[in-house]
Amino acid sequence: MLITPSTTHVHPLKLYTCVPHAFCVWTCPPKRFPYKYGVQIRNKAITNSTHTEMDRQGADDAEKIRSDFLKVLRSRRSAEVPLTVEPAKPVANPFFQEASPPRFSEAMESCPKAKIENFKELLKEENLYLHTEAGEQGRLPVLILSLKESEHRRRPAIVFLHSTNKCKEWLRPLLEAYASRGYIAIAIDSRYHGERASNLTTYRDALVSSWKKGDTMPFIFDTAWDLIKLADYLTQREDIDPSRIGITGESLGGMHAWFGAAADTRYAVVVPIIGVQGFRWAIDNNQWQARVDSIKAVFEEARIDLGKSAIDKEVVEKVWDRIAPGLASQFDSPYTIPAISPRPLLIVNGILNVHCALQCCFDFKNIGAEDPRCPLAGLEIPKERACKAYGDANSVDKFKLIAQPGIGHQMTSLMVKEASDWFDKFLKN
């Protein structure tokens, strides 16, 4: 079937807009009647009390998820310490855990900027450490860029999170672009990255150690704890509006943004880029290989310890349960993505070819090759439950899922522009 640009396809529970060679866009349909986890309630009068009861139930579910998640995060913390701020110096030689460090990102350089004369002279840079818990990894490096202003006012802020093996300094083009547009732009080094790494295998070694000892959670969860503590700090600053703090990230950073926002409602606008996926779905549908390959050392170690000749779904499930308890169960995307409602949430993913992008407008199950680390088909249930949550909250305009065809697992200029527009829409006004 030939689909022309900007064609809208309506399904009783779905609304998709496809733009070939650009984005496949999914937004919530208008709310017709309430339904619970796909079971629609029919032949029942819809009253204000009905909506109020459903809104309360959704809020209670989200709070329970946050409470349970916080218990898991606390279960492997070193001793908690008062949140303290320590001055730091700019990093002269940013550390990348890659044999050939990256030099340039076209996507980040394309981020919309305001034209300001003498911008470099007007740019204010802060480097500091936050102590989020005892121990070496409890020292959180933070980089903050903003414009110098003579008038005191509270401004919107956005936290940016880097991808695997990179560091906060890699994000500087984004920080500068957002700072030029009036934001306070913040980046951190995630656990075992940047200033928190000592060699090219620090992150890999931490993952293996977590499997062996079960005393840390270096994959996603430990950084989610840091993001909670970072929110403590940001909401205390006199130059930041505590009601206008956004969060975004790429790949691993997208996962950090997703879980940080699910855990802490102070992140008011959320844009995970090529990060949201279904961990349980991937196991059940034999689509776990690409994600496993991205941190393969820990799975190889588990394979040996479990006496397996090859990595299989049992190995994958046991590793997730060990290094990130609940990642493939109660904290997976079908539960934590709806918990972000009603805060504005834009999910941006990639798919490998245009044919697949057009198929996704009709049936996620028939998608072929795509971003192998974040298969779009794995978001069918999270997407439907998020739509329900945003519908119940009368906030259908605050949730959108878009997929760019032809790019696989990479952040693009189009994604950066969509994220920028989303933040401007919900944080600047």
Side-chain angles (χ1 to χ4, degrees), residues 125-290:
E125 176 175 338
E126 299 173 69
N127 290 271
L128 55 94
Y129 300 111
L130 292 181
H131 290 268
T132 64
E133 63 178 294
E136 181 181 354
Q137 287 298 318
R139 192 168 181 249
L140 173 65
V142 183
L143 169 63
I144 303 175
L145 296 186
S146 61
L147 285 180
K148 300 173 185 176
E149 291 188 347
S150 57
E151 177 186 357
H152 171 74
R153 63 188 180 97
R154 291 185 179 272
R155 287 175 277 176
I158 301 176
V159 175
F160 297 84
L161 299 153
H162 60 78
S163 55
T164 302
N165 294 332
K166 294 184 175 63
C167 58
K168 62 186 184 302
E169 286 76 23
W170 172 247
L171 299 169
R172 193 176 184 95
L174 292 178
L175 303 184
E176 291 189 0
Y178 275 82
S180 77
R181 291 171 18 227
Y183 291 94
I184 295 178
I186 304 108
I188 66 170
D189 285 329
S190 63
R191 293 285 176 121
Y192 308 98
H193 286 76
E195 292 186 75
R196 303 166 102 175
S198 57
N199 56 54
L200 292 177
T201 64
T202 297
Y203 181 47
R204 183 189 72 187
D205 296 344
L207 292 166
V208 172
S209 177
S210 178
W211 163 258
K212 294 287 191 182
K213 300 177 182 178
D215 57 349
T216 59
M217 295 179 285
F219 187 66
I220 305 176
F221 286 8
D222 284 342
T223 298
W225 173 263
D226 291 333
L227 291 170
I228 294 172
K229 294 298 185 178
L230 178 65
D232 289 342
Y233 167 72
L234 296 179
T235 54
Q236 294 173 11
R237 285 179 61 114
E238 293 185 354
D239 57 349
I240 290 177
D241 182 341
S243 68
R244 292 190 293 162
I245 301 176
I247 189 167
T248 185
E250 173 195 4
S251 192
L252 177 63
M255 290 184 268
H256 288 150
W258 152 25
F259 279 92
D264 197 322
T265 60
R266 291 174 293 183
Y267 292 109
V269 181
V270 190
V271 185
I273 299 175
I274 59 171
V276 179
Q277 58 210 268
F279 288 93
R280 180 77 254 167
W281 180 91
I283 293 171
D284 292 342
N285 291 273
N286 197 35
Q287 296 291 320
W288 45 263
Q289 290 82 0

